[in-house]
Amino acid sequence: MSTNQPRLAVYTGSFDPITLGHVNVIERGSRLVDKLIVGIGINVEKKALFSPEERVELVERATSHIGNVEVRTFEGLAVTFVRECESRVMIRGIRPLTDIAAEFTMMLANRELDSDIETVFLMADQRLAHVSSSLIKQIAPLADDNRLAGFIPEEIIPALREKIAFNGSTSPQAD
């Protein structure tokens, strides 16, 4: 890569919904490159809480304070998306040690699929290491907004509450 080309990396995930752990990785990853593309993977076989368009809007809202982030959707292989973005660097966030084995296996598979793409792992901040989108979906109906703000960006709480209410769950509101 020549020195006059911008340093570009891609961070992929489902972001359904985006969590503070995701934001932490995006903030830290954005400091390593000139431009960070957040790729929201669309898997038509999985039932997502938020539509791809809603996820883009929520990620943009949660990362609006970061000037070098762009949000896009993609279908198919992450390495193909990274290549389509004209990048050779994929950022992956890892949480507890249990993520490492799965992420390492995925990295090896990605290397077989496209040996020119490098994977950079960023460990989630220790206070966020337990946070996952699955956990958010479990606790959101039970936690008030103040507690939920310890897991997801405050600016997306109303959208999450609305989605949960639409899906038939009830949830407590902030005092």
Side-chain angles (χ1 to χ4, degrees), residues 160-173:
L160 181 60
R161 292 284 184 222
E162 183 178 322
K163 188 63 70 169
I164 290 170
F166 179 76
N167 287 339
S169 299
T170 58
S171 59
Q173 299 300 309

PDB file of all heavy atoms in Angstrom, residues 160-173:
ATOM      1  N   LEU A 160     -35.015   0.770  20.554  1.00  0.00           N
ATOM      2  CA  LEU A 160     -35.094  -0.586  21.092  1.00  0.00           C
ATOM      3  C   LEU A 160     -36.408  -0.780  21.844  1.00  0.00           C
ATOM      4  O   LEU A 160     -37.085  -1.800  21.679  1.00  0.00           O
ATOM      5  CB  LEU A 160     -33.899  -0.873  22.005  1.00  0.00           C
ATOM      6  CG  LEU A 160     -33.857  -2.276  22.619  1.00  0.00           C
ATOM      7  CD1 LEU A 160     -33.795  -3.353  21.546  1.00  0.00           C
ATOM      8  CD2 LEU A 160     -32.666  -2.387  23.569  1.00  0.00           C
ATOM      9  N   ARG A 161     -36.791   0.199  22.656  1.00  0.00           N
ATOM     10  CA  ARG A 161     -38.066   0.116  23.382  1.00  0.00           C
ATOM     11  C   ARG A 161     -39.236  -0.005  22.413  1.00  0.00           C
ATOM     12  O   ARG A 161     -40.139  -0.813  22.614  1.00  0.00           O
ATOM     13  CB  ARG A 161     -38.258   1.355  24.265  1.00  0.00           C
ATOM     14  CG  ARG A 161     -37.306   1.445  25.413  1.00  0.00           C
ATOM     15  CD  ARG A 161     -37.703   0.488  26.505  1.00  0.00           C
ATOM     16  NE  ARG A 161     -36.830   0.652  27.655  1.00  0.00           N
ATOM     17  CZ  ARG A 161     -36.362  -0.364  28.341  1.00  0.00           C
ATOM     18  NH1 ARG A 161     -36.680  -1.597  28.026  1.00  0.00           N
ATOM     19  NH2 ARG A 161     -35.589  -0.160  29.384  1.00  0.00           N
ATOM     20  N   GLU A 162     -39.216   0.790  21.353  1.00  0.00           N
ATOM     21  CA  GLU A 162     -40.292   0.749  20.371  1.00  0.00           C
ATOM     22  C   GLU A 162     -40.357  -0.616  19.678  1.00  0.00           C
ATOM     23  O   GLU A 162     -41.433  -1.181  19.491  1.00  0.00           O
ATOM     24  CB  GLU A 162     -40.074   1.853  19.330  1.00  0.00           C
ATOM     25  CG  GLU A 162     -41.173   1.946  18.302  1.00  0.00           C
ATOM     26  CD  GLU A 162     -40.927   3.075  17.321  1.00  0.00           C
ATOM     27  OE1 GLU A 162     -40.433   4.147  17.722  1.00  0.00           O
ATOM     28  OE2 GLU A 162     -41.243   2.868  16.137  1.00  0.00           O
ATOM     29  N   LYS A 163     -39.201  -1.160  19.346  1.00  0.00           N
ATOM     30  CA  LYS A 163     -39.152  -2.453  18.661  1.00  0.00           C
ATOM     31  C   LYS A 163     -39.653  -3.567  19.580  1.00  0.00           C
ATOM     32  O   LYS A 163     -40.405  -4.435  19.152  1.00  0.00           O
ATOM     33  CB  LYS A 163     -37.716  -2.735  18.201  1.00  0.00           C
ATOM     34  CG  LYS A 163     -37.575  -3.945  17.328  1.00  0.00           C
ATOM     35  CD  LYS A 163     -38.317  -3.860  16.023  1.00  0.00           C
ATOM     36  CE  LYS A 163     -37.723  -2.887  15.068  1.00  0.00           C
ATOM     37  NZ  LYS A 163     -38.285  -3.000  13.703  1.00  0.00           N
ATOM     38  N   ILE A 164     -39.257  -3.515  20.840  1.00  0.00           N
ATOM     39  CA  ILE A 164     -39.700  -4.533  21.792  1.00  0.00           C
ATOM     40  C   ILE A 164     -41.209  -4.430  22.007  1.00  0.00           C
ATOM     41  O   ILE A 164     -41.908  -5.436  22.041  1.00  0.00           O
ATOM     42  CB  ILE A 164     -38.927  -4.413  23.122  1.00  0.00           C
ATOM     43  CG1 ILE A 164     -37.477  -4.855  22.900  1.00  0.00           C
ATOM     44  CG2 ILE A 164     -39.575  -5.247  24.211  1.00  0.00           C
ATOM     45  CD1 ILE A 164     -36.574  -4.561  24.065  1.00  0.00           C
ATOM     46  N   ALA A 165     -41.727  -3.214  22.131  1.00  0.00           N
ATOM     47  CA  ALA A 165     -43.172  -3.017  22.308  1.00  0.00           C
ATOM     48  C   ALA A 165     -43.926  -3.531  21.077  1.00  0.00           C
ATOM     49  O   ALA A 165     -44.971  -4.155  21.190  1.00  0.00           O
ATOM     50  CB  ALA A 165     -43.477  -1.545  22.546  1.00  0.00           C
ATOM     51  N   PHE A 166     -43.374  -3.266  19.896  1.00  0.00           N
ATOM     52  CA  PHE A 166     -44.004  -3.711  18.642  1.00  0.00           C
ATOM     53  C   PHE A 166     -44.045  -5.239  18.576  1.00  0.00           C
ATOM     54  O   PHE A 166     -44.996  -5.814  18.065  1.00  0.00           O
ATOM     55  CB  PHE A 166     -43.226  -3.152  17.436  1.00  0.00           C
ATOM     56  CG  PHE A 166     -43.787  -3.591  16.123  1.00  0.00           C
ATOM     57  CD1 PHE A 166     -44.955  -3.018  15.614  1.00  0.00           C
ATOM     58  CD2 PHE A 166     -43.162  -4.582  15.371  1.00  0.00           C
ATOM     59  CE1 PHE A 166     -45.476  -3.417  14.399  1.00  0.00           C
ATOM     60  CE2 PHE A 166     -43.690  -4.992  14.162  1.00  0.00           C
ATOM     61  CZ  PHE A 166     -44.843  -4.415  13.659  1.00  0.00           C
ATOM     62  N   ASN A 167     -43.021  -5.877  19.140  1.00  0.00           N
ATOM     63  CA  ASN A 167     -42.964  -7.345  19.118  1.00  0.00           C
ATOM     64  C   ASN A 167     -43.748  -7.991  20.253  1.00  0.00           C
ATOM     65  O   ASN A 167     -43.693  -9.182  20.453  1.00  0.00           O
ATOM     66  CB  ASN A 167     -41.508  -7.811  19.152  1.00  0.00           C
ATOM     67  CG  ASN A 167     -40.801  -7.576  17.843  1.00  0.00           C
ATOM     68  OD1 ASN A 167     -41.433  -7.436  16.802  1.00  0.00           O
ATOM     69  ND2 ASN A 167     -39.486  -7.516  17.879  1.00  0.00           N
ATOM     70  N   GLY A 168     -44.439  -7.167  21.051  1.00  0.00           N
ATOM     71  CA  GLY A 168     -45.342  -7.712  22.053  1.00  0.00           C
ATOM     72  C   GLY A 168     -44.804  -7.805  23.455  1.00  0.00           C
ATOM     73  O   GLY A 168     -45.497  -8.287  24.342  1.00  0.00           O
ATOM     74  N   SER A 169     -43.582  -7.373  23.703  1.00  0.00           N
ATOM     75  CA  SER A 169     -43.030  -7.408  25.055  1.00  0.00           C
ATOM     76  C   SER A 169     -43.344  -6.096  25.754  1.00  0.00           C
ATOM     77  O   SER A 169     -43.566  -5.072  25.122  1.00  0.00           O
ATOM     78  CB  SER A 169     -41.506  -7.601  25.015  1.00  0.00           C
ATOM     79  OG  SER A 169     -41.192  -8.813  24.401  1.00  0.00           O
ATOM     80  N   THR A 170     -43.319  -6.135  27.057  1.00  0.00           N
ATOM     81  CA  THR A 170     -43.466  -4.893  27.824  1.00  0.00           C
ATOM     82  C   THR A 170     -42.150  -4.637  28.518  1.00  0.00           C
ATOM     83  O   THR A 170     -41.394  -5.556  28.804  1.00  0.00           O
ATOM     84  CB  THR A 170     -44.590  -4.993  28.870  1.00  0.00           C
ATOM     85  OG1 THR A 170     -44.301  -6.086  29.733  1.00  0.00           O
ATOM     86  CG2 THR A 170     -45.936  -5.182  28.197  1.00  0.00           C
ATOM     87  N   SER A 171     -41.860  -3.406  28.794  1.00  0.00           N
ATOM     88  CA  SER A 171     -40.593  -3.087  29.453  1.00  0.00           C
ATOM     89  C   SER A 171     -40.774  -1.888  30.359  1.00  0.00           C
ATOM     90  O   SER A 171     -41.565  -1.011  30.100  1.00  0.00           O
ATOM     91  CB  SER A 171     -39.530  -2.795  28.408  1.00  0.00           C
ATOM     92  OG  SER A 171     -39.914  -1.723  27.608  1.00  0.00           O
ATOM     93  N   PRO A 172     -39.989  -1.849  31.456  1.00  0.00           N
ATOM     94  CA  PRO A 172     -40.045  -0.699  32.342  1.00  0.00           C
ATOM     95  C   PRO A 172     -39.344   0.483  31.711  1.00  0.00           C
ATOM     96  O   PRO A 172     -38.423   0.336  30.935  1.00  0.00           O
ATOM     97  CB  PRO A 172     -39.283  -1.184  33.590  1.00  0.00           C
ATOM     98  CG  PRO A 172     -38.402  -2.286  33.111  1.00  0.00           C
ATOM     99  CD  PRO A 172     -39.092  -2.895  31.908  1.00  0.00           C
ATOM    100  N   GLN A 173     -39.770   1.668  32.020  1.00  0.00           N
ATOM    101  CA  GLN A 173     -39.148   2.899  31.529  1.00  0.00           C
ATOM    102  C   GLN A 173     -38.308   3.488  32.647  1.00  0.00           C
ATOM    103  O   GLN A 173     -38.429   3.122  33.798  1.00  0.00           O
ATOM    104  CB  GLN A 173     -40.229   3.899  31.074  1.00  0.00           C
ATOM    105  CG  GLN A 173     -41.098   3.392  29.943  1.00  0.00           C
ATOM    106  CD  GLN A 173     -40.293   3.076  28.692  1.00  0.00           C
ATOM    107  OE1 GLN A 173     -39.530   3.890  28.230  1.00  0.00           O
ATOM    108  NE2 GLN A 173     -40.457   1.876  28.164  1.00  0.00           N
TER     109      GLN A 173
END
